[in-house]
Amino acid sequence: MKKILLPFTVFALATNVQAQTQAHSKDSLAKVQTLKAIEISAIRAGDDAPFAKKDISGKALEKENLGQDLPYLLQYTPSAVVTADGGTGIGYTGIRIRGTDATRINVTMNGIPVNDPEEQATFFVDIPDIASSTGSIQIQRGVGTSTNGAGSFGATVSISNLQQFDSAGAILNSSMGSFNTYKNTLLAGTGMLKSGWQFDVRLSKINSDGYIQRSSTDLKSLQFTAGWKASENTWFHFMVMTGTEKTGQAWDGVPSDSLKTNRTYNELGLENNGTFYPNQSDNYQQTYYQAFLDHKFSPYITAHVGLFLTQGKGYYEEYHGSELLTNYGLSNAPQDTIPTALTRQLWLDNAYYGGVFSFLYEKNKTQLTVGGGITQFENLHYGVITWTENGGVPPNYKWYQDDAQKNDYNFYAKLQQHINSKLILFADLQLRDVAYYINGFQDNPNLKPAVNYTFFNPKAGLTYLLKDTYQQKQKIYASIAVGNKEPNHDDYEIDSLHLPKPETLYDVEAGYEFNSRKVSFGANFYYMYYHDQLVLTGELNDVGNAVQTNVPKSYRTGIELMGAYTPFNWVRILGNATFSENKIANFTRTLYDTVYNAYQHTYSNTNISFSPSIVATGTLVFTPFHNMPHGQRLDINISEKYVGKQYLDNTSSNDRALSDYAYCNVLLRYSLVARPFREIAFTLAVNNVFNKLYSSNGAVYPYVPYGGEGFTANGNNVNNINYYYPQAGTNVLGGVTLKF
């Protein structure tokens, strides 16, 4: 199957979602209004900006949205690799772009930062079914343009979910499938009222048992949006969205010795009596409050102001079979020297608030944007012991309580200037200041780092329009950009003697694009040089987050190929392919034996972990009939995805690697117009059609035996405990959508 996939993909050279967007932009009869607000245009790259980007419409997302998280709806975009702890794309899911993980992918929602300010990742499980109320998404690869929030070191993902129905209506979507998966979503809107107000609501519930044992999910979400057109020049929007999740913990993966015999095995929560603790779970609620004011002062000047508050609170609960209460600060307990089984909850209670603003001047050949944001994040970490086998713990006893605060402000100015009818200049300057104070850690309460960073992120580029007509557009572009990023919360705890260093990225991009009615093609070259990049070691901490370490010099370079071909009006061939090299100049690994003797080895020119050299997608889209009397339409999508070999750490050892893999998904969608509905649509997705057994992620825990026995000079014969994240075999999701 791999031999078929890659030549087909390279031949197709097409962007999957782009073609889907074009093919289905007029499908839905339940029209919605998308506000082209300045908070979107201020941080997104325009059509002629010299950056690699991908735009996805809400219509394209709607077609495939049967309950899987947003990363899985973006899996066919260039250079993207997705993974799920539970193996189904529901619950804890992640996306890597150009090999960079979630802590390096800047995510905003309506221009408001979404990344957790401490962990810097985006946990899509906390915003269930956001795709159902998303009007558009733009993915910029590389540093991209200036934005709010976390530094972009691989990509930015800009989500817009303020769209509203332009007339009164409702949409009901229900789906079900393998692993007892159920999704029910209701959207309703008033349309524009005479007063200028309009109101919309979304209710969602998603449940699944998961593929991996005890990886079930129970997700709920509510979104309410109010819009007021005060005048032709003034708009007000308010949005509140809350999501709750309860998921079974599967973040450790499957041990390598269990993978061949039971690839769904989950060792977390194993009790001393051989059973599994029934509430080994993660529980969290996150609520977003956002308010926006847009005002047009003149035909050339528009202003935008946004205020936000994001609140999160929750815990994960776990069973430990043998613990000393002295490790929990209970030295006077009668049982303090006797190991005991216990259950505990580790809590987070946080608030993230601030404001963003931008001013847009647009006249003739000049577009100038000035903007920025000021935010503050406060987080309280604490742990509660809920039960012990032998007693000796006061009720609701907290064995640690640490707080943290992070202040962040940024200011940017962007200029897009048409030098003449063909040449366009782009310049972007950003100043970002970060102050971060951590008042101790769970396992190291006396470590209290306080840091302050000031980053300057300049960007510049040129676009040359070779041809720009209705029938055909061709352009070439080139840009250079600098990005800086601070370490995340966990990085400060790894080495209490040496604070981790901030990272710097120099990103050079150059590309060519051709678009016509039947053919589109694009090629983008990139070279990303890192100074002090924090690379993944392959290890995970106690909550499944990746451990990182600084390396002085490293780089990613590659070419991304994209395009589409429409030989007939009912057939499309599309796909994309990325060929890359991802290297660390020198990497020193330090390991310890059982008595903490240190053993070191330096590696040269090794592959960066979790960075495949080939990522490719190919898709065939058939539309056997459309434009029928009753709006009947049948879409058949056959998609294949190939991901090359990946290493679990930075030593390029085959003993610590993920094999390359490929899988095929098929999507069928039939829609028609039948009273009293505006539209009825039936969707069937068959994922992993050929039942490919593969793992999309992994972790490694190397160790040295006592006295260094078996430790060789090159360090490759170290004992390793590898964990893998197997994905589900053939599975099915089916749904029906009713639009009123």
Side-chain angles (χ1 to χ4, degrees):
M1 181 173 162
K2 298 176 192 173
K3 295 179 181 179
I4 297 174
L5 171 72
L6 192 53
F8 167 69
T9 303
V10 176
F11 170 75
L13 298 179
T15 44
N16 183 24
V17 182
Q18 178 182 16
Q20 291 178 355
T21 302
Q22 295 172 348
H24 301 293
S25 60
K26 299 181 181 179
D27 283 357
S28 176
L29 296 179
K31 298 179 180 179
V32 297
Q33 171 185 302
T34 303
L35 175 67
K36 188 179 179 181
I38 192 172
E39 87 277 354
I40 299 302
S41 61
I43 63 173
R44 286 189 175 180
D47 290 340
D48 295 325
F51 300 102
K53 63 182 179 64
K54 182 69 199 156
D55 293 298
I56 305 108
S57 74
K59 303 297 185 207
L61 296 174
E62 176 188 356
K63 176 182 176 181
E64 300 186 23
N65 185 12
L66 295 170
Q68 291 181 310
D69 291 351
L70 188 60
Y72 273 66
L73 303 183
L74 304 176
Q75 64 180 306
Y76 302 126
T77 57
S79 302
V81 176
V82 298
T83 186
D85 289 2
T88 62
I90 301 173
Y92 269 94
T93 59
I95 184 170
R96 293 191 181 101
I97 299 175
R98 292 185 179 175
T100 58
D101 67 293
T103 65
R104 286 164 174 73
I105 299 175
N106 171 281
V107 179
T108 59
M109 181 166 56
N110 310 314
I112 302 299
V114 174
N115 297 65
D116 180 277
E118 285 200 295
E119 301 300 337
Q120 297 184 29
T122 297
F123 300 98
F124 291 97
V125 69
D126 296 333
I127 46 177
D129 200 27
I130 189 175
S132 288
S133 51
T134 292
S136 65
I137 294 176
Q138 183 179 87
I139 300 176
Q140 297 178 37
R141 302 185 300 279
V143 172
T145 62
S146 292
T147 185
N148 299 307
S152 170
F153 257 53
T156 61
V157 178
S158 168
I159 302 170
S160 172
N161 70 333
L162 289 178
Q163 77 283 355
Q164 296 185 268
F165 284 85
D166 67 352
S167 61
I171 301 175
L172 177 63
N173 175 271
S174 293
S175 59
M176 61 184 298
S178 302
F179 314 112
N180 288 319
T181 299
Y182 296 91
K183 171 182 176 290
N184 291 288
T185 302
L186 172 65
L187 299 98
T190 63
M192 181 72 73
L193 304 175
K194 292 182 179 180
S195 62
W197 284 92
Q198 55 190 125
F199 304 95
D200 295 76
V201 66
R202 172 179 61 84
L203 296 168
S204 303
K205 191 172 191 311
I206 302 173
N207 292 85
S208 180
D209 288 348
Y211 172 67
I212 301 299
Q213 296 172 1
R214 296 174 302 285
S215 64
S216 63
T217 56
D218 182 2
L219 313 177
K220 305 180 185 69
S221 182
L222 163 69
Q223 179 176 332
F224 171 77
T225 307
W228 180 41
K229 185 180 180 181
S231 68
E232 289 299 322
N233 296 323
T234 304
W235 276 89
F236 169 81
H237 275 81
F238 173 77
M239 190 272 289
V240 58
M241 183 177 72
T242 186
T244 61
E245 60 91 1
K246 182 181 179 70
T247 60
Q249 295 175 16
W251 51 48
D252 270 11
V254 179
S256 56
D257 57 359
S258 300
L259 193 61
K260 294 181 180 180
T261 58
N262 182 4
R263 65 193 310 266
T264 68
Y265 178 68
N266 181 3
E267 65 183 10
L268 288 175
L270 180 62
E271 297 189 52
N272 294 336
N273 61 8
T275 63
F276 286 90
Y277 181 58
N279 197 33
Q280 188 86 7
S281 63
D282 183 81
N283 308 263
Y284 201 77
Q285 178 172 7
Q286 190 140 294
T287 304
Y288 297 82
Y289 302 92
Q290 299 181 356
F292 303 99
L293 175 65
D294 292 271
H295 180 72
K296 192 170 187 177
F297 289 99
S298 73
Y300 314 117
I301 301 176
T302 309
H304 165 78
V305 177
L307 299 175
F308 75 94
L309 167 64
T310 304
Q311 291 181 307
K313 187 173 183 179
Y315 65 93
Y316 69 91
E317 184 169 329
E318 59 186 5
Y319 173 92
H320 282 246
S322 180
E323 292 283 328
L324 289 175
L325 295 183
T326 52
N327 295 331
Y328 292 82
L330 293 168
S331 58
N332 295 322
Q335 301 86 0
D336 59 2
T337 60
I338 303 174
T340 181
L342 59 81
T343 58
R344 65 184 195 178
Q345 296 177 350
L346 280 73
W347 281 81
L348 295 175
D349 187 354
N350 52 67
Y352 187 28
Y353 49 89
V356 299
F357 69 93
S358 55
F359 296 91
L360 173 65
Y361 172 82
E362 194 167 18
K363 185 177 181 180
N364 298 330
K365 299 180 180 181
T366 302
Q367 184 184 83
L368 175 65
T369 305
V370 178
I374 302 175
T375 67
Q376 182 166 296
F377 178 75
E378 298 173 351
N379 197 6
L380 179 64
H381 306 248
Y382 61 92
V384 179
I385 297 177
T386 56
W387 170 84
T388 57
E389 185 177 30
N390 299 321
V393 178
N396 298 316
Y397 172 71
K398 293 181 181 179
W399 83 90
Y400 75 93
Q401 181 167 301
D402 307 314
D403 61 342
Q405 180 174 308
K406 187 174 185 179
N407 299 327
D408 186 334
Y409 72 78
N410 84 94
F411 300 100
Y412 60 81
K414 304 179 185 182
L415 173 67
Q416 184 169 298
Q417 178 70 48
H418 286 252
I419 306 301
N420 53 44
S421 61
K422 293 183 176 293
L423 184 62
I424 304 167
L425 168 69
F426 182 88
D428 183 341
L429 303 175
Q430 183 192 50
L431 183 69
R432 180 168 177 250
D433 187 88
V434 178
Y436 187 25
Y437 175 69
I438 305 173
N439 189 25
F441 295 84
Q442 171 189 337
D443 296 325
N444 196 344
N446 296 320
L447 179 62
K448 300 181 179 182
V451 295
N452 186 266
Y453 306 109
T454 299
F455 299 131
F456 178 56
N457 303 315
K459 309 166 185 72
L462 290 170
T463 299
Y464 186 79
L465 302 177
L466 299 169
K467 192 170 186 179
D468 190 9
T469 66
Y470 177 77
Q471 291 82 12
Q472 186 182 114
K473 182 172 183 177
Q474 296 185 59
K475 69 177 183 180
I476 57 175
Y477 61 86
S479 66
I480 183 169
V482 178
N484 290 277
K485 176 181 170 295
E486 72 278 13
N488 65 40
H489 175 272
D490 295 334
D491 295 330
Y492 290 102
E493 192 180 13
I494 299 303
D495 186 347
S496 60
L497 299 178
H498 304 92
L499 289 178
K501 301 175 183 178
E503 309 168 87
T504 300
L505 166 61
Y506 304 91
D507 181 20
V508 176
E509 309 265 342
Y512 167 80
E513 291 183 8
F514 172 93
N515 287 283
S516 67
R517 296 187 64 182
K518 283 186 172 289
V519 177
S520 67
F521 172 80
N524 182 75
F525 165 82
Y526 64 90
Y527 179 76
M528 302 165 67
Y529 175 79
Y530 296 87
H531 180 62
D532 289 327
Q533 182 184 185
L534 282 160
V535 297
L536 302 177
T537 67
E539 299 171 84
L540 304 178
N541 65 14
D542 60 345
V543 294
N545 291 332
V547 175
Q548 303 181 124
T549 186
N550 286 112
V551 293
K553 298 178 181 179
S554 55
Y555 69 87
R556 302 179 187 274
T557 186
I559 186 168
E560 298 165 321
L561 303 175
M562 301 147 283
Y565 176 51
T566 308
F568 311 102
N569 63 359
W570 55 276
V571 177
R572 288 181 180 272
I573 305 172
L574 42 138
N576 55 70
T578 299
F579 304 92
S580 66
E581 185 176 77
N582 312 275
K583 295 291 185 177
I584 299 173
N586 291 288
F587 167 68
T588 299
R589 183 176 65 167
T590 302
L591 299 176
Y592 298 89
D593 64 14
T594 54
V595 291
Y596 298 101
N597 293 313
Y599 299 84
Q600 288 187 333
H601 182 74
T602 298
Y603 301 81
S604 298
N605 197 36
T606 57
N607 294 283
I608 302 176
S609 57
F610 303 101
S611 300
S613 59
I614 301 176
V615 178
T617 293
T619 299
L620 289 175
V621 179
F622 299 97
T623 312
F625 55 87
H626 52 278
N627 298 326
M628 303 292 285
H630 298 287
Q632 301 100 316
R633 181 184 179 103
L634 176 64
D635 295 279
I636 304 171
N637 284 24
I638 304 173
S639 301
E640 291 192 75
K641 180 87 174 185
Y642 173 80
V643 178
K645 182 179 180 179
Q646 304 173 63
Y647 293 95
L648 300 180
D649 63 11
N650 303 295
T651 64
S652 294
S653 171
N654 291 326
D655 294 332
R656 299 180 287 279
L658 284 174
S659 300
D660 61 338
Y661 59 87
Y663 57 86
C664 176
N665 296 336
V666 175
L667 183 75
L668 307 175
R669 189 175 189 271
Y670 176 73
S671 59
L672 73 159
V673 178
R675 294 182 179 179
F677 305 106
R678 296 184 183 182
E679 183 182 37
I680 303 175
F682 302 92
T683 306
L684 176 66
V686 183
N687 300 314
N688 198 356
V689 173
F690 299 108
N691 199 36
K692 175 68 176 181
L693 302 182
Y694 70 96
S695 297
S696 59
N697 196 9
V700 59
Y701 299 89
Y703 69 93
V704 180
Y706 175 75
E709 182 181 352
F711 185 82
T712 62
N714 63 12
N716 281 332
N717 292 334
V718 175
N719 292 307
N720 299 290
I721 303 176
N722 293 347
Y723 284 77
Y724 299 92
Y725 294 79
Q727 302 300 286
T730 303
N731 63 96
V732 177
L733 292 169
V736 59
T737 300
L738 305 176
K739 300 183 179 181
F740 301 88

